[in-house]
Amino acid sequence: MIQTRAPQSHLSDDELDQLIACPHCDLVYATPQVARNERAYCQRCHTTLIAPRRRAGKRLIALASSILILITGAMFFPFLSIGAGGLHHGTSIVQTSFAFTGMLAILTPAILAFIIFIPMARLILLIYVLVPIIQDKPPAPLARQAFRLAEDLTPWSMAEIFAIGCAVALVKLSDLAEVSLGPAAWMFAALMIIFVLTDSLMCRYSIWKSLEP
Ligand SMILES: [Zn+2]
């Protein structure tokens, strides 16, 4: 059971260090002691506040590296192939994003940013922050800013949303043409699962604590 704190106007830095706010509903708690493999939940909205895991840093780096490899592959391998009337055409995500012309050309940088470059940037920043932590070394230069940026980029990282959108579109298209999935589609399916694993393993509170001077 964790205790909520009544609002106070004058708190010292030490007292502020002992507080944790729920990232979802902003309810403030006195930071509880949480052992490895235990979880502290927000009493109001049940968001996980602290969930330290054994060797989480190494596993997160492994998962993030796997996603980076899968996204790189998914950029260039055929995503799907569409056939009708005996003709088949396979295309990759990069080829598709450059297929827009006229006013729709503005979608090209947006697609590439949201489903490829922002997810990759977020994962590279996470690996940059975590490598010194798992080696028990001092944080990397600007590690706090790097982790904050990685967190800020999270809502803009839409690789998994793209994969779900494609799955819905494929169901609709299958009535009109013969649609088959290419290697890139399976890569996106795999990275969607790894994204979920990465998020469930990451204890943001533990990472912030590791980055304290
Ligand atoms: Zn909450």
Side-chain angles (χ1 to χ4, degrees), residues 22 24-25 42 44-45 47:
C22 170
H24 187 71
C25 71
C42 172
R44 185 157 67 186
C45 69
T47 299

Side-chain angles (χ1 to χ4, degrees), residues 58-104:
K58 282 182 186 169
R59 286 194 271 169
L60 278 172
I61 291 172
L63 292 172
S65 307
S66 310
I67 297 174
L68 282 175
I69 293 166
L70 286 170
I71 292 182
T72 309
M75 281 169 70
F76 301 106
F77 282 106
F79 189 82
L80 53 83
S81 124
I82 295 178
L87 292 172
H88 282 263
H89 182 66
T91 185
S92 70
I93 292 170
V94 172
Q95 286 172 326
T96 308
S97 60
F98 281 102
F100 296 108
T101 54
M103 287 289 287
L104 290 177

Side-chain angles (χ1 to χ4, degrees), residues 16-32:
L16 282 173
D17 281 347
Q18 302 304 314
L19 300 179
I20 181 171
C22 170
H24 187 71
C25 71
D26 289 339
L27 191 59
V28 176
Y29 297 93
T31 308

Side-chain angles (χ1 to χ4, degrees), residues 174-198:
S174 60
D175 291 339
L176 306 171
E178 197 181 308
V179 180
S180 55
L181 298 175
W186 296 111
M187 288 177 183
F188 260 93
L191 70 83
M192 218 167 71
I193 295 166
I194 304 176
F195 261 122
V196 174
L197 287 175
T198 308

Side-chain angles (χ1 to χ4, degrees), residues 84-157:
L87 292 172
H88 282 263
H89 182 66
T91 185
S92 70
I93 292 170
V94 172
Q95 286 172 326
T96 308
S97 60
F98 281 102
F100 296 108
T101 54
M103 287 289 287
L104 290 177
I106 196 168
L107 292 174
T108 300
I111 288 175
L112 292 175
F114 292 140
I115 66 176
I116 292 175
F117 296 125
I118 290 178
M120 286 179 96
R122 187 178 157 241
L123 294 163
I124 290 167
L125 288 168
L126 187 63
I127 293 172
Y128 173 76
V129 168
L130 289 176
V131 166
I133 293 177
I134 64 161
Q135 293 175 335
D136 285 329
K137 290 182 179 171
L142 300 175
R144 289 173 70 84
Q145 288 86 340
F147 188 55
R148 190 177 304 281
L149 179 60
E151 288 292 274
D152 289 345
L153 288 176
T154 303
W156 302 101
S157 170

